[in-house]
């Protein structure tokens, strides 16, 4: 796990870390912002979350935003993937390992 600065309090803070990590800047839609703002507000206000738990959650948030940046970049460079027909989705359930 990467140690994150204690100043991740807004979606822009988290996005900046993801941008630094990936070297990418364009994330596409901002539909994720309102939900992340609520999550970060609660995460930063809660007295029930231990510092290492907070760091773990911030790392997960930054990783998710990094992945979103990578997917958006891939689609920008390979727009043909948007035309591919998906016959059946693959859904995998189970405990992470």
């Amino acid at each position: 796990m990467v140690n994150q600065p204690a100043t991740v309090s807004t979606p822009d803070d988290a996005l900046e870390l993801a941008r630094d990590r990936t070297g990418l800047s364009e994330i596409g839609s901002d539909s994720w912002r309102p939900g992340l703002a609520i999550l970060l507000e609660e995460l930063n206000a809660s007295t029930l979350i231990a510092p290492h738990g907070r760091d773990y959650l911030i790392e997960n948030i930054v990783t998710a935003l990094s992945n979103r940046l990578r997917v958006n970049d891939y689609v920008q460079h390979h727009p043909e993937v948007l035309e591919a027909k998906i016959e059946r989705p693959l859904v995998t359930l189970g405990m992470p390992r």
Side-chain angles (χ1 to χ4, degrees), residues 4-10 13 44 54:
Q4 300 301 338
T7 58
V8 177
S9 57
T10 68
D13 296 338
N44 288 313
R54 182 187 175 285

Side-chain angles (χ1 to χ4, degrees), residues 11-12 14-19 22-33 36 61-76:
D12 287 331
L15 181 57
E16 185 172 334
L17 288 172
R19 285 177 169 159
T22 63
L24 301 170
S25 61
E26 188 60 42
I27 198 159
S29 168
D30 281 342
S31 61
W32 53 273
R33 274 185 194 278
L36 182 55
I61 289 166
V62 173
T63 297
L65 287 173
S66 296
N67 288 339
R68 187 177 179 119
L69 285 164
R70 289 181 187 107
V71 168
N72 188 71
D73 183 66
Y74 185 87
V75 170
Q76 294 299 316

Side-chain angles (χ1 to χ4, degrees), residues 84-97:
K85 184 176 179 181
I86 300 172
E87 295 293 330
R88 288 184 273 166
L90 175 63
V91 179
T92 305
L93 301 174
M95 294 296 292
R97 301 194 197 301

